[in-house]
Amino acid sequence: MIDELVRVGFSSQEARVYVALLRQPSATGYELAKVAGLQRANVYQVLATLVERDIAEQITDTPARFLAKPPAHVLGRIKQDTAQRCDSLIVDLAALARPAEPTAFWSLRGRESVLERAGALVSDARVRVAICLWADDLDWLGTPLRAAARSGCQVVVNVFGDVPVDFGEVYRHEAPAKTVGGHLLTLAVDSTTALIASLDEPAAAVYTEHPALLRVVEKLIRDEAYLAAIYERLRPELEDAFGLHLVELRSKLLPAEQASALMSVVGFGADAATVEELNPFE
């Protein structure tokens, strides 16, 4: 008990005198010195401190006798004062602390780890899921995406390829065979976490909680939805202006190798000179 009293703010001598006073109420300083095993002069100094702290009280003058305040009173006040002091320090110290820097990103290697993390992020969603994926990806992500939609989450799906999707807000894009740049998947969940994956072998991904990177991913997914909706509504006019599948516009913004691949998949079969002419980075 002496050790525990020291831990809550008593000095060792104060703890000894207080315990002695509980064991022998109305004791004199001389009597307490014998029970506590302390020098009489030290006991009177300690008693004066205990009276000042409202832990003991003097009840007679000649001889001076003392009475311990009840433990529930003494320790209850210490408990209350400590709690208030800690609450105040929490506020004060929090005002001094610099906000933690968000971790930039975590890397994933291997198809299984990428699929597991993407599925877990969707399953943990509470408010919103936005995703760009290939039709084949619905074989493993369809169930958690459907469950998220049924739980009340807003689910925005950009799907590349013709496949039935019976949940969420769906925006359809060309088949994967007509895309360039490989099998990519982008995902943003609850405006707190984003994942960017390349599912071509060797599969790899990064996911992040960094606010700036998250906003970039969310904007990318949003822009894909905008383009799909605009293309569906205005396809004839857009292809008159920019060619089949917008090939003229897209080729200008792609590296030469990907521009050549784009020409092939849309059936233009452009030669290298044409590709170089369309590519402004050369």
Side-chain angles (χ1 to χ4, degrees):
M1 288 184 292
I2 299 294
D3 291 341
E4 291 302 312
L5 286 170
V6 170
R7 289 190 179 97
V8 298
F10 284 71
S11 71
S12 177
Q13 290 188 346
E14 289 169 350
R16 288 179 179 278
V17 172
Y18 180 64
V19 170
L21 198 52
L22 287 171
R23 296 175 63 185
Q24 190 167 332
S26 303
T28 64
Y30 173 76
E31 293 167 338
L32 290 170
K34 292 172 61 177
V35 174
L38 298 172
Q39 296 291 329
R40 190 189 311 177
N42 292 342
V43 168
Y44 280 108
Q45 291 177 356
V46 170
L47 283 168
T49 301
L50 294 180
V51 169
E52 184 179 351
R53 294 178 59 190
D54 196 29
I55 295 172
E57 61 180 324
Q58 183 175 337
I59 56 175
T60 64
D61 290 329
T62 308
R65 293 186 178 275
F66 298 86
L67 190 66
K69 292 292 182 76
H73 167 80
V74 173
L75 294 173
R77 189 180 69 249
I78 290 173
K79 179 180 178 181
Q80 182 179 7
D81 291 347
T82 301
Q84 291 175 347
R85 189 172 295 111
C86 288
D87 288 342
S88 178
L89 279 170
I90 288 171
V91 174
D92 293 342
L93 293 173
L96 293 176
R98 297 178 62 182
E101 287 292 330
T103 302
F105 59 85
W106 296 269
S107 297
L108 300 170
R109 300 289 181 185
R111 184 177 178 83
E112 290 304 316
S113 63
V114 174
L115 269 55
E116 179 182 357
R117 174 54 56 184
L121 289 174
V122 173
S123 297
D124 292 341
R126 294 294 177 266
V127 179
R128 185 174 187 272
V129 177
I131 191 167
C132 292
L133 76 174
W134 284 16
D136 291 348
D137 298 327
L138 290 169
D139 293 342
W140 56 274
L141 261 182
T143 297
L145 285 169
R146 186 177 293 104
R150 288 176 177 171
S151 72
C153 284
Q154 180 190 21
V155 177
V156 178
V157 181
N158 286 297
V159 58
F160 288 79
D162 187 12
V163 63
V165 182
D166 59 356
F167 55 85
E169 304 167 28
V170 182
Y171 298 89
R172 297 191 176 278
H173 299 259
E174 68 269 25
K178 288 186 168 60
T179 64
V180 294
H183 187 172
L184 301 178
L185 181 144
T186 52
L187 169 67
V189 175
D190 290 343
S191 296
T192 60
T193 311
L195 179 141
I196 306 167
S198 171
L199 295 178
D200 295 317
E201 292 299 335
V206 294
Y207 70 100
T208 181
E209 296 175 357
H210 194 290
L213 297 175
L214 178 59
R215 285 196 291 271
V216 170
V217 174
E218 287 182 330
K219 184 178 186 304
L220 172 64
I221 297 172
R222 211 164 45 242
D223 288 348
E224 291 280 7
Y226 295 156
L227 289 171
I230 292 169
Y231 189 68
E232 182 180 13
R233 178 68 63 88
L234 302 174
R235 179 171 180 170
E237 294 93 328
L238 290 170
E239 291 194 342
D240 282 345
F242 300 111
L244 183 65
H245 297 296
L246 314 186
V247 65
E248 295 175 13
L249 176 62
R250 294 164 68 187
S251 297
K252 291 179 181 179
L253 301 175
L254 287 169
E257 182 179 346
Q258 292 186 17
S260 179
L262 175 64
M263 292 293 190
S264 298
V265 299
V266 299
F268 276 75
D271 57 26
T274 304
V275 173
E276 183 175 321
E277 184 178 354
L278 290 172
N279 180 18
F281 300 106
E282 293 293 331

